[in-house]
Each structure stands twice: as structure tokens, then as C-alpha cells.
């Protein structure tokens, strides 16, 4: 929150010329390169340090299951140590994986979005409703994750996966720079959704967030306090391992309802870009001024040499980029769901087969 507060003060004082926003836009590729280097270095550091992990050590350090195969490249990529930690004077112990999972990547995502909002205003003299909605939705997602941080500690990334290049790259490079690509697109080619467009996108976001947050809250309350009156009425089945599996509520609706909510929210990040695609034409039309529309679709940016941004022949092709997040996320949650299923089959055995008879659907009832 300190970073966001400083950014807010800087924007209040300097507006779109605040150094943070101009630096991000002007050094976008360089930032990707630096983050890639940091991810590589962290993976190497974690891999090297993992060899100091000894059985029964007093710090409770442990190796990740499947992360110490003896194959150097694979172990470095997938992560050899489960939760590598470092001691920093004054600050104390830092869990590198938990820190990277939420802090630099997630906050970086929000800062990139805000930098793109600032750039749009700087170029066109206004901020479109589409980029505001995307920034609002994604900021809500990030700050919700930070607020509900204890729940993150029970996710597969924290409890099962080692910390290697896969997670380091995902947290520091893939997440902030790929997830913010819709806002970057709109920074160059603004789109105004209008009242009905805003209502439609808000409805998609609200539905997804409601499913995502309420299903996760239900699971976390059941795990931490089964007597909580908000979930005490839910039905469940006991397993031989002593665990309890919910068979009603959201988790009777599907075995992974939170993934469904997450996937629906992904659409609200992409839909504001519309039928994406633009071309940039350089010129100096004397009759046009900053923010003017061209043929009802394109815009003229500020500067002595005007820049026309038009859909042109690129219209539609940009969807390969702006809707990539939905496609990627679909693959991600299906892959993650398959890993969850495999882990549960190993853990619960025959009980899991019985559970699947009670809760038939994986993510979307009637379809999958």
C-alpha cells in the first residue's frame, strides 16, 4: 500500500508527468528484460541454496516433491526447495516464494495499468471508460488477494510447488506484463463503451467475482472453523485420511467453482477492448487537435506531428493479443484442475472416487 500511496501523491503533484509513469512507458522493454534477469537470478539462487537443506533441520526447510529428480535443468525450472527463505537484517525472515507470489508481480500489474492510464490521458487529453474499468477490475483482484493473503497460503503454488524459474518467471514477468496487455492496448487506442457497454462488462465482472470470492470464502471458513454459522449447514463426507470434503454449497455445485469465477472475470478484462486492432498513421493535419476522432473510430494524439490511430485493416486481428489472456487462462485452469484431481486421487484414494459420484462436475456443470 505504501507504493500505491507514493504513486498517488506523485500523480497529484506532477500529473501524467510523474516520473514513475513516464519511466514505465518509456522503458517498457527494458523493464521486461530486467525482471527476466531477476527471475533467472532468483531461480539460480534458490536452486544452489536448496542443497543446504538437511533432513530434520531446525528451520523446517524441505524439498518439493518432484523437484529433486537429479536432472539439473528440470529441478532448476520446477523448483527444488519448497519454500526458500532468507534472513534480512531489521526486516526479518522473508519467504521468497510467498513474497513473489503477491508483492512484486501483483503490485507491478496494478502499476503498469496505472501507467497506461496516465499515458492515455497524456496522449489524448481524456481517459476512456474502458481502460478505467479494466484498471478497476484488475486492481480489485490484486487488492482482494492482498487482503485475503492467508488464503493464498493454502494454494497449490505455496503448498506443493517448489520455487524455481517457472514460478519466478510467472510472478515477475508473465503476470505483470501479460496480464496488463489490455490496458496497454487501450492506452494507444481508446475505446468508449457507453452506458450499456459499461453495464454489460460490470455484470460479467460482478458475476465472476461473486462466484470466485464466495466459493473461496466458503472453503476457507470450512477449513478454519467448521462451526461458523455461515457454513455450518453445509453437507460433507469424511475420508479415511480424516479430511472432510464439502458436497453442498458452492463445492457441491462443482469440484472447483472458484476456477469458474476466475475464468468469468478474465472475460471482463478483455471485453472492453472490443474487436481489437489498429494501425498508426503519422501526419500533421492542421484541422485536427488532440483527442479528435477520425471517421468516428480513430483518434489523433497530441504533439507537433499528429498521430492518427485507426482500426484500418488491422481491425479484428488485435483480438489475438487482447483476448490472449482468456485463452491462456482457460488452459491454465484446466491444467491446474487436472493437477488438483491427480493430487486428490493420490491423497484420498477410493474416497475421492466416491466424492466424484456426489459432485460430478469439475468446473462448469453440464459442460466440464
Amino acid at each position: 500500500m505504501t507504493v500505491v500511496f507514493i504513486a498517488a501523491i506523485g500523480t497529484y503533484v506532477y500529473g501524467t508527468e510523474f516520473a514513475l509513469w513516464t519511466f514505465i512507458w518509456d522503458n517498457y522493454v527494458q523493464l521486461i528484460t530486467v525482471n527476466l534477469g531477476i527471475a533467472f537470478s532468483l531461480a539460480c539462487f534458490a536452486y544452489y541454496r536448496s542443497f543446504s537443506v538437511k533432513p530434520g533441520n531446525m528451520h523446517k526447510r524441505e524439498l518439493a516433491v518432484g523437484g529433486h529428480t537429479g536432472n539439473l535443468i528440470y529441478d532448476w525450472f520446477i523448483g527444488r526447495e519448497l519454500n526458500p527463505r532468507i534472513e534480512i537484517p531489521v526486516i526479518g525472515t522473508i519467504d521468497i516464494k510467498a513474497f513473489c507470489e503477491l508483492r512484486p508481480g501483483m503490485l507491478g500489474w496494478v502499476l503498469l495499468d496505472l501507467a497506461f492510464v496516465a499515458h492515455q490521458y497524456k496522449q489524448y487529453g481524456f481517459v476512456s471508460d474502458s481502460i478505467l474499468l479494466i484498471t478497476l477490475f484488475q486492481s480489485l483482484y490484486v487488492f482482494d488477494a492482498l487482503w485475503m493473503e492467508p488464503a493464498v497460503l493454502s494454494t497449490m503454488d505455496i503448498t506443493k510447488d517448489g520455487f524455481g524459474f517457472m514460478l519466478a518467471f510467472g510472478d515477475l514477468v508473465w503476470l505483470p506484463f501479460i496480464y496488463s496487455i489490455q490496458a496497454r492496448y487501450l492506452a494507444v487506442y481508446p475505446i468508449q463503451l457507453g452506458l450499456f457497454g459499461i453495464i454489460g462488462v460490470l455484470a460479467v465482472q460482478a458475476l465472476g467475482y461473486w462466484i470466485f470470492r464466495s466459493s473461496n470464502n466458503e472453503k476457507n471458513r470450512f477449513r478454519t472453523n467448521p462451526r461458523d454459522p455461515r457454513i455450518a449447514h453445509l453437507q460433507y463426507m469424511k475420508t479415511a485420511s480424516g479430511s472432510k470434503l464439502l458436497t453442498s454449497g458452492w463445492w457441491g455445485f462443482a469440484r472447483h467453482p472458484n476456477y469458474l469465477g476466475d475464468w468469468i472475470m478474465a472475460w471482463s478484462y478483455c471485453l472492453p477492448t472490443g474487436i481489437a486492432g489498429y494501425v498508426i498513421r503519422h501526419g500533421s493535419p492542421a484541422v485536427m487537435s488532440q483527442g479528435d476522432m477520425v471517421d468516428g473510430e480513430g483518434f489523433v494524439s497530441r504533439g507537433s506531428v499528429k498521430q492518427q490511430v485507426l482500426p484500418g485493416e488491422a481491425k479484428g486481428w488485435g483480438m489475438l493479443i487482447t483476448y490472449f489472456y482468456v485463452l491462456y487462462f482457460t488452459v491454465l485452469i484446466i491444467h491446474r484442475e487436472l493437477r488438483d484431481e491427480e493430487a486428490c486421487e493420490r491423497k484420498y484414494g477410493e474416497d475421492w472416487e466416491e466424492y466424484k459420484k456426489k459432485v460430478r462436475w469439475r468446473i462448469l456443470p453440464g459442460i466440464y
Side-chain angles (χ1 to χ4, degrees):
M1 293 302 295
T2 303
V3 174
V4 176
F5 178 74
I6 293 173
I9 295 298
T11 304
Y12 177 78
V13 176
Y14 298 103
T16 59
E17 295 298 331
F18 180 44
L20 176 61
W21 308 140
T22 57
F23 181 84
I24 289 175
W25 185 267
D26 295 339
N27 299 278
Y28 185 73
V29 175
Q30 293 92 325
L31 285 171
I32 295 175
T33 305
V34 169
N35 278 30
L36 183 59
I38 294 173
F40 179 85
S41 300
L42 280 175
C44 292
F45 171 77
Y47 178 78
Y48 172 78
R49 197 163 178 271
S50 69
F51 288 94
S52 65
V53 177
K54 305 298 180 185
N57 65 86
M58 61 180 295
H59 299 292
K60 297 182 179 180
R61 295 171 61 196
E62 57 184 309
L63 299 180
V65 176
H68 50 289
T69 64
N71 184 313
L72 187 152
I73 299 298
Y74 178 83
D75 291 349
W76 169 82
F77 178 81
I78 208 70
R80 198 167 184 275
E81 186 172 356
L82 184 61
N83 292 99
R85 305 180 186 91
I86 55 173
E87 292 285 342
I88 299 180
V90 180
I91 296 177
T93 303
I94 298 293
D95 185 310
I96 299 175
K97 184 170 68 173
F99 175 79
C100 289
E101 188 84 6
L102 286 175
R103 294 301 189 279
M106 297 286 260
L107 287 176
W109 182 9
V110 173
L111 291 177
L112 283 167
D113 280 353
L114 293 174
F116 300 149
V117 172
H119 182 79
Q120 187 189 85
Y121 184 79
K122 181 179 179 181
Q123 286 294 102
Y124 299 105
F126 66 88
V127 176
S128 65
D129 51 21
S130 55
I131 199 170
L132 282 177
L133 281 179
I134 286 177
T135 303
L136 173 66
F137 294 161
Q138 296 181 345
S139 297
L140 172 65
Y141 187 89
V142 169
F143 291 116
D144 175 83
L146 292 172
W147 179 258
M148 302 297 293
E149 185 171 0
V152 176
L153 300 179
S154 63
T155 62
M156 180 178 288
D157 286 353
I158 299 296
T159 61
K160 301 293 183 183
D161 295 337
F163 183 77
F165 184 73
M166 180 180 73
L167 282 183
F169 175 82
D171 292 339
L172 303 181
V173 183
W174 187 267
L175 189 158
F177 292 99
I178 295 298
Y179 288 19
S180 63
I181 205 164
Q182 297 89 5
R184 182 171 174 82
Y185 170 85
L186 292 170
V188 178
Y189 183 65
I191 292 177
Q192 297 290 5
L193 299 174
L195 177 61
F196 292 108
I198 292 173
I199 292 173
V201 174
L202 281 172
V204 173
Q205 167 69 13
L207 175 63
Y209 184 76
W210 173 57
I211 296 173
F212 173 79
R213 178 45 53 210
S214 56
S215 60
N216 275 325
N217 282 345
E218 187 177 88
K219 176 183 66 175
N220 292 326
R221 287 167 185 152
F222 184 75
R223 284 179 173 176
T224 56
N225 182 17
R227 296 182 179 179
D228 187 317
R230 289 170 291 186
I231 52 88
H233 64 283
L234 296 177
Q235 299 176 2
Y236 59 87
M237 61 170 282
K238 291 185 178 180
T239 66
S241 65
S243 300
K244 298 176 181 178
L245 300 175
L246 284 169
T247 57
S248 65
W250 281 113
W251 300 87
F253 172 78
R255 299 200 289 272
H256 307 279
N258 53 333
Y259 291 168
L260 175 61
D262 223 346
W263 182 75
I264 293 173
M265 283 193 291
W267 280 98
S268 70
Y269 305 158
C270 302
L271 288 171
T273 64
I275 303 175
Y278 62 78
V279 293
I280 297 176
R281 295 172 184 166
H282 300 280
S284 183
V287 296
M288 295 181 179
S289 61
Q290 170 200 348
D292 281 353
M293 294 193 71
V294 181
D295 298 330
E297 293 187 291
F299 293 89
V300 179
S301 64
R302 69 170 58 183
S304 56
V305 177
K306 302 298 182 184
Q307 179 176 282
Q308 300 178 44
V309 185
L310 303 161
E313 60 273 17
K315 188 172 185 178
W317 289 102
M319 296 175 71
L320 296 173
I321 296 174
T322 60
Y323 286 79
F324 170 76
Y325 178 74
V326 169
L327 295 175
Y328 154 75
F329 204 72
T330 301
V331 175
L332 176 69
I333 61 175
I334 290 177
H335 176 260
R336 179 159 296 209
E337 181 271 331
L338 291 173
R339 291 180 63 196
D340 288 346
E341 291 281 318
E342 183 181 346
C344 288
E345 285 176 2
R346 287 197 305 266
K347 180 177 181 180
Y348 301 117
E350 293 181 0
D351 287 330
W352 186 251
E353 295 302 318
E354 184 64 27
Y355 171 71
K356 289 195 294 184
K357 293 177 182 177
K358 295 177 181 292
V359 184
R360 292 179 54 202
W361 302 104
R362 296 167 179 258
I363 296 176
L364 183 59
I367 296 179
Y368 181 73

